Amino acid sequence: MEMKKMLHLARIPSILILGMVYVAYVLIGGVIFWKLEGDLGKKDISKVLLNKKRLLTSYTCLTQEGLEDVAQVVQDASKVGLSLKGNNTSDGFWKFSSSAVFAATVVTTIGYGNMSPSSTTGQIFCVFFALFGIPLNVVVLNRVGKYMLALERSISDFLEGKSGRKKCTRFFVHLVSYICGSVLFFVVPMVAFQQHEDWTFSQAIYYCFITLSTIGFGDFVADSNPDKKYPDWYTVLMASWIFFGLAWLALLINHSSDILERLNNHFKQLWYGEKPEEESGSREDSNPNTQVEEENEIKKPQ
């Protein structure tokens, strides 16, 4: 009780508490990544330096300058999507299918970074293309997400009318929709990527989430291995998966943010004795005129 009174007297703003939690969360994540990946990064650096020394000793005709030239060729080849294995040639990254996927990654703000326009005209066009394409993508994804939510609510209302249990039915419908979405947008693509990209299941599920959440690190990118020949339907299927998966994951993130808002209101009511923001806002916005209109609407026969 004393702690509660002290917090009530202090009147700490909730936005300050949320900011402190956010900063602490980011810092803790940075420390964990540092501990998990720091030692591994040092091992990778030492391994690269060891391989460099082995190349210089194995091929005595190769000097430091020659090794740098070879590394530059390899780097340039990886940028344009060419393979140096064998004498086979390919069209590189900028095929029609790959260009269409690149345009989709621009408007969805995924931005893998494995391919980017190098010409001045292409870079300027990319700026204007993203300037108008990103808002259009947001509007379309919101509309698709609303249709998904409306379909879910229609099924929920239908089952509520049959069973008569509101809370259990809604929970069951939400659970089934989440499971079906997880299977459709994570499990099935994970199996497809594991077969066509030769990734492990952990790498495939990691790529699925990094893509659909628009984080887009670019360390794993599907349909970009120059040593593989992909079927035509693979690119179309991947583009469709990205579009509908973004809408579904955005809907899921909105539900998660709604849960966090409710938890915030609950803890605010618990610690400060305040009522939730929705109720207080509705009471402040109410006036006698709106109350009379509501009463008249209630009195009118259906």
Side-chain angles (χ1 to χ4, degrees), residues 254-289:
N254 287 333
H255 282 183
S256 301
S257 63
D258 185 35
I259 293 174
L260 290 177
E261 287 290 341
R262 291 182 181 181
L263 287 175
N264 182 32
N265 292 334
H266 175 72
F267 284 115
K268 185 186 291 186
Q269 183 182 7
L270 181 65
W271 286 105
Y272 297 138
E274 295 179 354
K275 294 187 177 180
E277 294 178 356
E278 296 179 356
E279 295 182 1
S280 60
S282 62
R283 290 188 177 183
E284 290 175 358
D285 295 336
S286 63
N287 53 47
N289 294 328

Side-chain angles (χ1 to χ4, degrees), residues 236-253:
V236 177
L237 189 64
M238 190 179 70
S240 303
W241 164 72
I242 289 176
F243 178 77
F244 290 102
L246 282 173
W248 177 80
L249 192 61
L251 186 63
L252 184 63
I253 291 175

Side-chain angles (χ1 to χ4, degrees), residues 186-199 201 204 207-208 222 230 233-234 237-238 241:
F186 280 94
V187 178
V188 174
M190 178 182 66
V191 176
F193 291 141
Q194 194 271 335
Q195 291 180 353
H196 287 84
E197 303 290 342
D198 295 332
W199 294 341
F201 285 111
Y207 167 75
C208 289
Y230 299 97
W233 57 265
Y234 186 72
L237 189 64
M238 190 179 70
W241 164 72

Side-chain angles (χ1 to χ4, degrees), residues 55-74:
L55 283 174
L56 292 175
T57 53
S58 300
Y59 303 94
T60 55
C61 60
L62 189 64
T63 61
Q64 177 67 28
E65 294 180 356
L67 181 61
E68 292 177 357
D69 293 337
V70 172
Q72 186 65 41
V73 171
V74 174

Side-chain angles (χ1 to χ4, degrees), residues 71-86:
Q72 186 65 41
V73 171
V74 174
Q75 185 178 1
D76 294 339
S78 64
K79 284 184 178 180
V80 297
L82 294 178
S83 175
L84 297 178
K85 296 180 180 179

